[in-house]
Amino acid sequence: MPPRDLALLHERILAWFDEAGRDLPWRRAETTPWGVFVSEVMSQQTPVARVAPAWEAWLARWPTPAELAADAPGEAVRMWNRLGYPRRALRLHEAACVMVERHAGEVPDDEAALLALPGVGAYTAAAVAAFAHGRRATVVDTNVRRVQARLVTGAALPAPALTRAESRLATQLLPDDDADAARWNVAVMELGALVCTARTPRCEECPVADRCVWRLAGSPVYEGPARRSQSWEGTDRQIRGRILALLRQTRDPLTGDDLHAAWPLDDARRERCLLGLLEDGLVEALDGERFTLPR
Ligand code: SF4
């Protein structure tokens, strides 16, 4: 893209973000790198409206990695409550332990060290480097991918999985300056979350509508492979969630009979889900007959 066109995208999208970006608690100036790290792990698969109160409670209880690391991993699973995908709580606890052991209790500031932490993938490492430490890092989430696909590539939706070409494009679009690049990342994510949404983009509110390749081509419909939506009702994920919900309600160990209420319809399936939770380290068996969150 010619530098002048790129500069115009930067100017307009950053100005739009200054006006329209949400005041999310982890975006405030006083948020610590640890607060940013927790927000990124929580937001991976959970909408921000559900993350915000959980994030506030988490940071109130464990304001630093050292405080979380000193507590039992089961307490992290308990506090995770209903955010979903609770293995993230265990990984967050493990990451806090590594920060204490190898990084003097701080969130590392370079992507390679972040990537070496438990539960941290390329997206989270880049996001924390950018948003916690103001680094020029390429942050590519689903919102960024969708905006790029439409605005620059002219496709209704990106490919089902991230491609190298998309990552390369995201890097090419980054402003040169560290601080601008960090703001650009969050601004494009926000544009995707609020305006360039998956089903019905609000192009009339978009600051770069007159530059959007997809819109200028007449908004052609998506013709790629069908997208799978994740179901919840009646799935193993739901049964696992119910077992954990029972264990969160008490600090006393529960028996297999106590856990019956989690899914009375099918004993074999419930037991299979319990076994999966034990294998994942989310539940601990005390004597083969009683179960608790990990201690
Ligand atoms: Fe997305 Fe519409 Fe803006 Fe294009 S014009 S980037 S499709 S919101």
Side-chain angles (χ1 to χ4, degrees):
M1 180 179 300
R4 267 179 54 189
D5 291 357
L6 188 53
L8 187 130
L9 292 187
H10 290 161
E11 189 185 319
R12 291 220 206 136
I13 290 179
L14 290 173
W16 170 85
F17 178 68
D18 287 343
E19 281 284 309
R22 290 167 293 180
D23 176 29
L24 299 176
W26 47 87
R27 287 185 185 160
R28 293 175 191 153
E30 67 271 20
T31 303
T32 61
W34 170 240
V36 173
F37 187 87
V38 173
S39 78
E40 285 302 334
V41 174
M42 286 186 170
S43 304
Q44 278 163 13
Q45 283 147 312
T46 309
V48 291
R50 283 174 57 207
V51 167
W55 181 86
E56 305 264 17
W58 190 281
L59 268 290
R61 180 163 177 186
W62 297 304
T64 65
E67 280 154 299
L68 175 59
D71 222 332
E75 288 306 300
V77 177
R78 193 185 303 281
M79 277 293 276
W80 199 254
N81 205 351
R82 295 181 174 274
L83 283 181
Y85 299 98
R87 270 176 286 194
R88 290 182 291 166
L90 281 186
R91 298 291 97 80
L92 200 42
H93 185 274
E94 288 167 19
C97 293
V98 175
M99 288 176 201
V100 170
E101 285 160 20
R102 295 195 208 143
H103 301 286
E106 302 291 339
V107 178
D109 62 1
D110 75 275
E111 278 187 71
L114 286 162
L115 210 43
L117 294 172
V120 172
Y123 165 78
T124 305
V128 174
F131 306 144
H133 299 296
R135 296 286 174 90
R136 185 178 184 272
T138 307
V139 184
V140 189
D141 75 344
T142 54
N143 286 319
V144 171
R145 296 181 64 214
R146 191 169 56 254
V147 172
Q148 275 189 189
R150 291 172 179 161
L151 179 60
V152 183
T153 316
L157 290 172
L162 179 66
T163 65
R164 281 198 189 161
E166 284 178 276
S167 296
R168 260 199 314 273
L169 175 59
T171 304
Q172 286 163 6
L173 295 178
L174 275 182
D176 294 332
D177 176 74
D178 275 314
D180 284 348
R183 272 179 66 236
W184 167 259
N185 280 317
V186 71
V188 178
M189 286 167 78
E190 193 76 335
L191 188 66
L194 300 182
V195 176
C196 194
T197 55
R199 293 213 176 135
T200 43
R202 293 203 285 273
C203 302
E204 63 289 350
E205 296 171 26
C206 180
V208 285
D210 63 333
R211 300 280 152 163
C212 174
V213 176
W214 181 66
R215 185 167 156 89
L216 293 173
S219 310
V221 292
Y222 174 72
E223 286 179 341
R227 306 283 162 139
R228 278 191 308 138
S229 61
Q230 289 184 318
S231 55
W232 163 252
E233 210 55 44
T235 59
D236 283 6
R237 275 187 61 219
Q238 184 186 26
I239 300 170
R240 284 164 59 104
R242 287 185 174 194
I243 293 171
L244 286 179
L246 288 175
L247 290 167
R248 279 192 191 102
Q249 286 167 13
T250 173
R251 286 192 157 72
D252 295 328
L254 298 182
T255 65
D257 282 350
D258 295 330
L259 296 176
H260 183 260
W263 194 257
L265 300 173
D266 184 339
D267 290 348
R269 206 159 156 219
R270 187 183 63 253
E271 276 161 29
R272 191 182 73 216
C273 289
L274 177 59
L275 198 61
L277 289 167
L278 287 163
E279 284 169 2
D280 289 344
L282 286 161
V283 173
E284 207 172 286
L286 293 184
D287 46 21
E289 290 180 4
R290 293 180 309 146
F291 304 95
T292 176
L293 295 178
R295 295 180 164 195

